[in-house]
Amino acid sequence: MYKVDDIVLYKKDVCKVLKIKVNQLSHEKVYLLRPVYSDGTETVIEVPVANRAGNLRDLISMEELDHLICAYPSIEVLTTKDITIKKEYIQLLNSNKLEDLVCIIKTTYGKNKKRRDDNLKISSVDDNYFHEAEKILYHQIGALLNLSFDDTKQYMNEQWKKRN
């Protein structure tokens, strides 16, 4: 069971536990969560403590982060044809595996770099999934390391360059 002020993952969002209370209608214990990285709104999410849907998870640990950094060189890029790659991106985003987010980032970065080098317009599909994967990954790592999005991105790029 989480405690007030714990940082957790709800689906893909990093959230802070604001309160634990009993829901007036269902009479079950619920967490009140606030997304840490919000658009300025005061969104509060109510999630049953029982977590039957499995949408509430622990934040990444330092051990998991170290493993992700070490695994970077062995994370393969997708070689799927552009026509079907969106389906693979969606599956990887929904897997809740950090390695899958890195796969998206490596794949889309490489494809976009090649297109820019060839003086071609980058694919909006690749660009959108690149930014979405970055957001999810770097918010989780940033919450762990207490870094901003940009500082987290810079930190991870430095770590990964050491592994190549």
Side-chain angles (χ1 to χ4, degrees):
M1 190 165 154
Y2 298 110
K3 301 181 298 288
V4 172
D5 292 332
D6 281 352
I7 303 295
V8 298
L9 287 176
Y10 176 67
K11 296 185 179 179
K12 294 175 180 68
D13 293 321
V14 176
C15 296
K16 181 176 184 175
V17 178
L18 297 177
K19 188 175 182 179
I20 303 168
K21 70 173 198 156
V22 175
N23 180 287
Q24 296 291 323
L25 298 173
S26 67
H27 303 290
E28 69 179 326
K29 275 187 164 181
V30 295
Y31 295 113
L32 296 182
L33 308 175
R34 171 160 294 129
V36 173
Y37 305 101
S38 67
D39 56 5
T41 61
E42 295 296 319
T43 304
V44 175
I45 305 165
E46 190 172 292
V47 180
V49 169
N51 193 27
R52 288 181 290 279
N55 291 324
L56 198 58
R57 303 181 316 280
D58 292 337
L59 191 63
I60 182 176
S61 68
M62 281 304 294
E63 184 177 308
E64 290 168 314
L65 178 57
D66 290 341
H67 172 76
L68 183 67
I69 291 168
C70 291
Y72 179 79
S74 65
I75 297 174
E76 298 288 326
V77 297
L78 298 175
T79 56
T80 308
K81 300 257 188 244
D82 284 344
I83 201 158
T84 58
I85 201 156
K86 184 175 178 180
K87 183 178 177 181
E88 285 207 48
Y89 289 156
I90 291 168
Q91 288 175 335
L92 292 172
L93 273 178
N94 291 330
S95 76
N96 295 325
K97 294 180 185 172
L98 299 178
E99 291 84 358
D100 290 345
L101 296 173
V102 173
C103 174
I104 294 171
I105 291 167
K106 285 178 75 171
T107 300
T108 55
Y109 177 82
K111 288 175 69 178
N112 287 340
K113 183 180 182 325
K114 181 174 180 355
R115 291 187 65 84
R116 278 192 296 274
D117 291 348
D118 293 342
N119 292 318
L120 297 171
K121 184 178 173 187
I122 61 172
S123 160
S124 63
V125 170
D126 291 325
D127 197 46
N128 290 340
Y129 282 99
F130 173 77
H131 290 296
E132 183 66 17
E134 273 195 325
K135 182 182 89 171
I136 295 166
L137 180 66
Y138 297 151
H139 280 173
Q140 289 183 48
I141 296 169
L144 172 70
L145 300 175
N146 198 27
L147 294 173
S148 70
F149 178 89
D150 290 333
D151 289 344
T152 302
K153 183 175 179 173
Q154 180 181 346
Y155 171 80
M156 292 305 294
N157 286 327
E158 289 169 1
Q159 296 303 310
W160 288 333
K161 282 179 186 171
K162 291 178 188 177
R163 303 290 175 195
N164 278 338

